Amino acid sequence: MKIVVLSSSIVGTKTKIALEKTVQFFEEKYAAYEVTLIDLAQYDLPFSDGRNYFEYEGDAKYVTETIMAADALVIGMPVFQASMPATLKNIFDMLPVNAFLNKVVSIIVTAGSPKHYLIAEQQLKPILAYMKATIVPTYVFIEEKDFLRTDIVNDDILFRLERLVEDTVHHVEATQFLIEKQDAMYDF
């Protein structure tokens, strides 16, 4: 099983801290799975120009092809100006409309204010549904107060991150079971 953990902003540290902890939980509980952390701050990506994702070169080719090859995607997203970062929207624009068909997508949101907890529900989930994702229903919302420097200090957040990892794996296993069952109905 291939899991991509996507840090979808090129600025800030809180989202990456949460995602590094998430990767740690994957590695501790599901060591047999291939987990890749993609931090968009590490890559030089162009703006989407409408071409197919496999036509990109360099960093854009690596990022899009790695996402497309994954069984699951954990999206880490900070909230900026009551919206998702443009870098995340750019990734969506680089991918085909059915990019997340048969893929499980989980969400981790960091924000400076509790007022932004619905951004995932109202903005991100509709896009993921349009792109045919199997969305893990619950997501982890982390506020500024849950961090102290470079650590998550709220035990409830750590518990919810660990639970999100488990839920992601269970959803992937269930999705793969259903795909195999459906494929077995055909003789070719």
Side-chain angles (χ1 to χ4, degrees):
M1 178 185 310
K2 293 182 180 181
I3 301 167
V4 171
V5 178
L6 179 66
S7 182
S8 67
S9 177
I10 59 172
V11 297
T13 59
K14 302 292 193 256
T15 302
K16 187 172 179 197
I17 291 167
L19 294 181
E20 286 171 344
K21 187 54 118 173
T22 302
V23 168
Q24 179 184 336
F25 287 139
F26 272 117
E27 291 172 347
E28 289 171 0
K29 294 189 109 173
Y30 304 101
Y33 298 151
E34 180 183 331
V35 180
T36 304
L37 174 62
I38 295 178
D39 179 3
L40 293 184
Q42 305 285 324
Y43 299 94
D44 183 26
L45 300 175
F47 285 111
S48 172
D49 58 13
R51 65 181 128 162
N52 290 318
Y53 75 92
F54 50 81
E55 294 176 0
Y56 285 102
E57 297 177 352
D59 288 347
K61 181 179 183 68
Y62 170 76
V63 170
T64 57
E65 288 185 354
T66 303
I67 291 170
M68 291 299 292
D71 299 302
L73 179 64
V74 178
I75 296 175
M77 178 189 89
V79 175
F80 296 140
Q81 304 291 3
S83 186
M84 74 177 73
T87 48
L88 179 57
K89 180 63 169 82
N90 190 47
I91 291 295
F92 294 153
D93 290 344
M94 289 178 161
L95 298 172
V97 69
N98 294 334
F100 301 134
L101 182 65
N102 299 327
K103 289 185 192 329
V104 171
V105 180
S106 298
I107 303 167
I108 299 170
V109 178
T110 58
S113 166
K115 297 174 184 171
H116 293 127
Y117 77 96
L118 285 177
I119 300 302
E121 289 289 340
Q122 296 175 344
Q123 295 179 13
L124 186 56
K125 283 187 175 182
I127 293 169
L128 295 173
Y130 177 77
M131 295 177 78
K132 312 294 187 277
T134 300
I135 305 167
V136 174
T138 57
Y139 56 92
V140 179
F141 180 81
I142 311 171
E143 292 180 62
E144 184 78 27
K145 69 180 182 178
D146 298 318
F147 291 93
L148 179 62
R149 295 185 190 93
T150 60
D151 292 320
I152 298 172
V153 294
N154 183 333
D155 289 337
D156 184 53
I157 296 297
L158 294 172
F159 173 77
R160 289 190 288 147
L161 287 172
E162 190 171 8
R163 180 62 190 262
L164 185 74
V165 165
E166 293 171 3
D167 288 348
T168 301
V169 169
H170 294 153
H171 275 76
V172 171
E173 290 171 348
T175 299
Q176 289 178 343
F177 172 78
L178 292 173
I179 292 168
E180 290 170 8
K181 186 176 178 182
Q182 188 175 23
D183 288 348
M185 293 171 49
Y186 302 101
D187 286 341
F188 48 90

